[in-house]
Amino acid sequence: MQRHDMAGAITTRLLDWYDVHARRLPWRIGPGDRRAGIRPDPYRVWLSEIMLQQTTVAAVKSYYADFLSRWPTVDALAAARDEEVMAAWAGLGYYARARNLLACARAVSAHGGAFPGSAAGLRDLPGIGDYTAAAIAAIAYDEQVAVVDGNVERVVSRLELIQTPLPAAKPAIRLAMQALTPPDRPGDFAQAMMDLGATICTPRRPACTICPVVEPCAARASGIQETLPVKAPKAEKPLRVGAAFVAEHPRLGAILLRRRASTGLLAGMEEPPMTGWTARVDGVTDITAAPFAAEWTLAGTVEHTFTHFRLRLSVWHAETGAAAPDGMWWQPFDGLGDRALPTLMRKCIARALDPERPVAKR
DNA sequence: CATGCGTGGCA
DNA sequence: TTGCCAAGCAT
């Protein structure tokens, strides 16, 4: 099939640019390896792509290294305990990804340990949607398939001057990306588009002067590149409030923890006991909601922003030698790093144990 | 098709 | 400081 000259020009320029400027990332093979016919390990591509869903490269790097070190193959990951994987994922966010990761590993392992060999087959696995299936197939199998993520939506809408608002523009963007994707090196092309979007064709202040495809860019020609893609305005995030209770057992050197419900927000993760989170700003800091009677003192507040609301928690602290209530346990301090504690919960614990200091990261 | 689902970095 | 949003998926 003859490709249009414009499409061919964009593809060629981007691949040439990628050969020089490709970001060196732990899950990528080197250009020399690619030319030698070496293909990336589908397991590593898959692991990196799941972690990269809505998550920055900088945040992923240490988690990727840790997972690959602990579980070098899909069979090793499939054999891991749920709790071990959730704890390893703690802090990275979107915890359904970790549950789906394990479910996917076990499905693949149960069928001989080889990932499906096409985007269509990959798409049926848990945690793998249109984007991830296409990305793995293009990168690991050289399948000529359109890989469309947020970067590609932005780059393509600018190149082709697609002014329809998202998400209505998605079909047109996918068609345009399909027309640009070459039969040779489709994976490199997809990664080139994503690298371009991450480093040059950025949401704000795109660096058009150093862009390898500035000449064929229709939005740049019109001077409206910064207005694309058009998106519907986002609803503002309401404030919810609540109270967390960090009970400390001085003799054991431990704090009281429990496990959250298996569905919903932070599903299956662990936490200190706390109230529900309500949109009502009054009353919820009431210490009558504490897990047991003790000399509770207010250590401070913790604020955290989720996808669709902001949360302000009053953090209470008490020392006690009481037995752990049903469904809770005394967790020794020296094991906290290995628990499935989301960032929010680590903030609460840090605030309670040292009200003066700023909250430390994981 | 709209909504729920985390977190950290950056302008 | 506040808002924005990054290599999306499931329902």
Side-chain angles (χ1 to χ4, degrees), chain A residues 10-360:
Chain A
I10 291 171
T11 302
T12 301
R13 284 165 191 254
L14 266 176
L15 283 172
D16 288 348
W17 173 79
Y18 185 74
D19 284 337
V20 179
H21 296 283
R23 293 202 280 179
R24 301 281 197 271
L25 300 173
W27 43 87
R28 288 182 176 174
I29 61 172
D33 285 343
R34 185 194 61 73
R35 283 191 294 273
I38 295 175
R39 305 309 310 153
D41 177 1
Y43 171 69
R44 299 184 185 205
V45 177
W46 164 72
L47 179 61
S48 69
E49 289 298 342
I50 300 299
M51 288 184 167
L52 286 163
Q53 289 166 2
Q54 296 289 286
T55 308
T56 58
V57 165
V60 163
K61 277 184 176 172
S62 65
Y63 285 85
Y64 175 80
D66 182 45
F67 268 66
L68 199 61
S69 169
R70 291 191 198 211
W71 303 294
T73 66
V74 69
D75 293 315
L77 180 57
R81 290 181 298 106
D82 292 39
E83 188 39 51
E84 202 179 1
V85 173
M86 296 310 291
W89 196 276
L92 196 54
Y94 283 137
Y95 298 99
R97 290 186 297 172
R99 294 192 299 277
N100 287 330
L101 184 85
L102 203 39
C104 182
R106 288 170 179 163
V108 170
S109 187
H111 286 271
F115 280 84
S118 70
L122 290 161
R123 181 65 179 79
D124 293 331
L125 289 166
I128 298 184
D130 289 339
Y131 161 76
T132 305
I136 297 171
I139 295 168
Y141 305 146
D142 286 322
E143 183 173 331
Q144 187 185 11
V145 58
V147 179
V148 182
D149 74 330
N151 287 304
V152 171
E153 288 179 347
R154 183 170 61 256
V155 172
V156 168
S157 67
R158 288 172 176 173
L159 279 173
E160 310 283 348
L161 197 63
I162 295 172
Q163 295 179 275
T164 308
L166 287 170
K170 283 175 181 285
I173 291 171
R174 176 170 301 280
L175 280 174
M177 183 62 176
Q178 184 68 59
L180 290 170
T181 301
D184 180 47
R185 303 181 65 189
D188 282 352
F189 179 72
Q191 291 175 98
M193 290 284 280
M194 293 189 281
D195 276 16
L196 187 78
T199 62
I200 291 178
C201 196
T202 49
R204 286 170 293 192
R205 303 292 303 274
C208 298
T209 56
I210 59 170
C211 178
V213 287
V214 61
E215 291 91 349
C217 182
R220 168 69 173 181
S222 301
I224 62 169
Q225 62 276 12
E226 289 191 41
T227 71
L228 297 177
V230 180
K231 294 184 179 180
K234 298 189 174 173
E236 76 174 75
K237 296 176 179 178
L239 177 68
R240 296 187 196 175
V241 297
F245 299 93
V246 179
E248 182 176 357
H249 195 308
R251 184 172 58 77
L252 296 179
I255 62 168
L256 195 62
L257 291 184
R258 67 182 184 186
R259 182 177 305 282
R260 291 177 63 85
S262 57
T263 58
L265 191 77
L266 305 175
M269 303 297 284
E270 297 169 2
E271 65 179 8
M274 59 182 62
T275 66
W277 305 339
T278 171
R280 289 191 47 176
V281 174
D282 57 325
V284 296
T285 59
D286 190 345
I287 63 171
T288 61
F292 47 71
E295 291 187 18
W296 293 101
T297 61
L298 188 59
T301 63
V302 160
E303 302 214 3
H304 196 78
T305 302
F306 290 94
T307 311
H308 50 296
F309 65 92
R310 292 182 301 127
L311 177 66
R312 179 180 300 146
L313 287 180
S314 302
V315 179
W316 296 82
H317 174 250
E319 296 188 350
T320 174
D326 281 351
M328 306 187 195
W329 68 90
W330 287 109
Q331 174 62 50
F333 292 133
D334 59 15
L336 278 179
D338 297 324
R339 305 303 307 189
L341 287 163
T343 296
L344 164 64
M345 308 310 172
R346 292 180 190 274
K347 284 186 190 176
C348 290
I349 294 165
R351 173 62 67 239
L353 298 185
D354 193 345
E356 301 302 319
R357 296 241 302 263
V359 174

